Amino acid sequence: MKKVGILTGGGDCPGLNAVIRAAVRYAIQEGYEVTGIKNGWKGLVENDTMELSLQSVSDILPKGGTILGTSRTNIYKKEGDLKKAKENFKKMGLEALIAIGGEDTLGIAHKLYKEGFNVVGAPKTIDNDLNCTDVTFGFDTALNVATEAIDRLHTTAESHHRIMVVEVMGRHAGWIALESGIAGGADIILIPEVPIDIEDVCNIIKKRHTRGKTFSIVVVAEGAQFKEGTMVLQEEKLDAFGHVRLGGIGQRIAEEVEKRTGYETRVTVLGYVQRGGTPTAFDRVLGTRFGIKAMELVLKKDFGKMASLQGNKIVAVPLEAAVSELKTVDMELYNIAKIFFG
Ligand code: F6P
């Protein structure tokens, strides 16, 4: 029997189970056996697998996280891992592997493909920073969580006449901050793509006060930087892909704003709430479409490709192009947001 493998790598993300379910249902319908590789690339190194049957993907569509588990293992980092991964790929008897992940996971998928392995990808990340697709699944859910939080912060900010700083995720791209800021009617949105001028931020807030608005909502992306160029880090340690751990910019902004304006300021860090829990209907549908497309690429033996959303169509794009650069925010959208600053 033909066999296809599936793995999920990197940060977990709402909609992963929708992709797994879709790919498994389609694969079984087409006469394949499906091997779930546990905990991302780590499972390929350790030969840690589970069989994926119709039964194992039943009832998982609304479930957050991933039934396969995940990790940030980079098989190109530790001596010997790559060799084991390649051996296990063969030992498992996989005709092809579907890798569901963001730039790091799909970066490995692309390298393996170049080394002669049959790999395809599906684009995952709440950050929406993957190139060659209009949207990644998971983003819509994170966006809705952040928007709801901003809505809730509005009422308490207004009651207490406070400045509320909301720190959202997104790594080096400002998609979550920008879109949740627009949707939630934020008064200032700070993103990695536009260095922060703290004087400007304070002036906008003061101007609002002079027109009778005694509260303000500031949305800041975790990767935003002050004009001077320093990023605020939670720790200096790098992960297996060389990424720093971001976080803390919200606190810094709040301290500065309170010091410079004299207005009472509070911080909310949304953190992992943005990543957990049930996916929105949009992400379930998108995840389902990506899962089907990924399996279709396997059936067509169109390897080295990733399922992608372009307009309203699901198409295939080369993994190489998808991981070649980050997709940062659309500045046209930022300019729309700016009209509402203050
Ligand atoms: O890429 C998704 C993401 O949630 C980022 O927004 C965030 O910077 C990072 O992952 C956090 O990673 P970890 O799960 O390793 O703390």
Side-chain angles (χ1 to χ4, degrees):
M1 206 172 190
K2 289 174 291 184
K3 219 192 239 181
V4 62
I6 302 184
L7 64 78
T8 56
D12 75 324
C13 178
L16 279 165
N17 288 325
V19 185
I20 296 169
R21 171 180 173 268
V24 169
R25 291 281 295 261
Y26 192 21
I28 291 175
Q29 200 175 297
E30 293 297 318
Y32 277 75
E33 226 175 72
V34 192
T35 302
I37 296 161
K38 291 194 199 166
N39 305 319
W41 297 111
K42 188 167 184 266
L44 194 62
V45 174
E46 295 174 354
N47 199 7
D48 190 7
T49 63
M50 63 193 263
E51 197 203 324
L52 288 173
S53 61
L54 289 179
Q55 189 54 36
S56 43
V57 296
S58 151
D59 278 344
I60 66 168
L61 184 58
K63 235 181 128 190
T66 161
I67 59 162
L68 290 173
T70 187
S71 71
R72 292 200 186 275
T73 299
N74 180 354
I75 56 176
Y76 285 86
K77 175 107 180 145
K78 201 171 128 212
E79 177 90 40
D81 277 3
L82 180 61
K83 190 168 170 274
K84 283 187 208 152
K86 285 178 175 175
E87 280 166 10
N88 287 332
F89 196 117
K90 288 178 188 151
K91 226 189 272 171
M92 287 175 199
L94 303 179
E95 180 190 301
L97 174 65
I98 299 174
I100 313 170
E103 50 146 349
D104 299 329
T105 305
L106 297 183
I108 291 182
H110 170 59
K111 283 186 186 164
L112 275 181
Y113 165 69
K114 294 248 292 203
E115 296 198 45
F117 290 84
N118 298 338
V119 189
V120 300
K124 164 240 73 157
T125 171
I126 63 162
D127 304 338
N128 196 33
D129 60 356
L130 202 65
N131 207 22
C132 296
T133 182
D134 291 354
V135 198
T136 51
F137 73 85
F139 171 62
D140 185 67
T141 306
L143 173 58
N144 277 287
V145 170
T147 304
E148 193 198 333
I150 295 168
D151 287 347
R152 289 177 183 277
L153 288 169
H154 255 106
T155 59
T156 169
E158 190 165 10
S159 306
H160 285 266
H161 314 286
R162 281 174 176 159
I163 314 305
M164 289 290 187
V165 178
V166 195
E167 181 183 307
V168 299
M169 282 184 163
R171 226 194 275 266
H172 302 295
W175 289 105
I176 301 177
L178 181 59
E179 295 208 13
S180 67
I182 293 173
D187 305 301
I188 303 166
I189 303 168
L190 304 171
I191 56 174
E193 292 83 348
V194 182
I196 304 167
D197 185 330
I198 196 71
E199 239 352 272
D200 281 356
V201 173
C202 293
N203 287 339
I204 290 171
I205 294 171
K206 283 187 207 153
K207 223 165 117 196
R208 274 177 60 78
H209 271 66
T210 56
R211 70 174 176 93
K213 290 287 190 186
T214 57
F215 72 95
S216 292
I217 305 283
V218 181
V219 178
V220 58
E222 61 179 0
Q225 303 184 43
F226 289 105
K227 253 191 172 152
E228 301 70 43
T230 44
M231 216 175 328
V232 182
L233 307 180
Q234 269 196 49
E235 58 180 37
E236 299 287 331
K237 236 172 57 194
L238 301 180
D239 72 11
F241 291 90
H243 299 301
V244 286
R245 208 164 146 218
L246 296 168
I249 182 78
Q251 183 62 36
R252 289 283 308 280
I253 300 277
E255 283 162 10
E256 284 298 319
V257 166
E258 191 167 88
K259 197 168 79 193
R260 291 170 188 240
T261 64
Y263 305 138
E264 200 180 1
T265 307
R266 294 282 194 273
V267 196
T268 303
V269 180
L270 289 187
Y272 296 91
V273 179
Q274 295 159 95
R275 241 164 67 176
T278 188
T280 57
F282 179 87
D283 279 335
R284 295 181 202 189
V285 174
L286 186 61
T288 300
R289 294 175 81 191
F290 281 158
I292 297 296
K293 185 69 183 183
M295 189 55 212
E296 187 189 298
L297 293 173
V298 172
L299 293 172
K300 287 185 174 160
K301 302 196 188 308
D302 195 3
F303 303 119
K305 299 277 174 67
M306 176 188 90
S308 137
L309 180 71
Q310 285 180 9
N312 197 27
K313 292 264 172 283
I314 302 288
V315 298
V317 295
L319 276 169
E320 181 165 24
V323 299
S324 62
E325 58 178 317
L326 274 193
K327 185 186 71 183
T328 50
V329 303
D330 173 356
M331 291 314 278
E332 254 181 65
L333 192 59
Y334 178 73
N335 288 332
I336 290 175
K338 259 176 80 180
I339 294 171
F340 300 90
F341 284 9

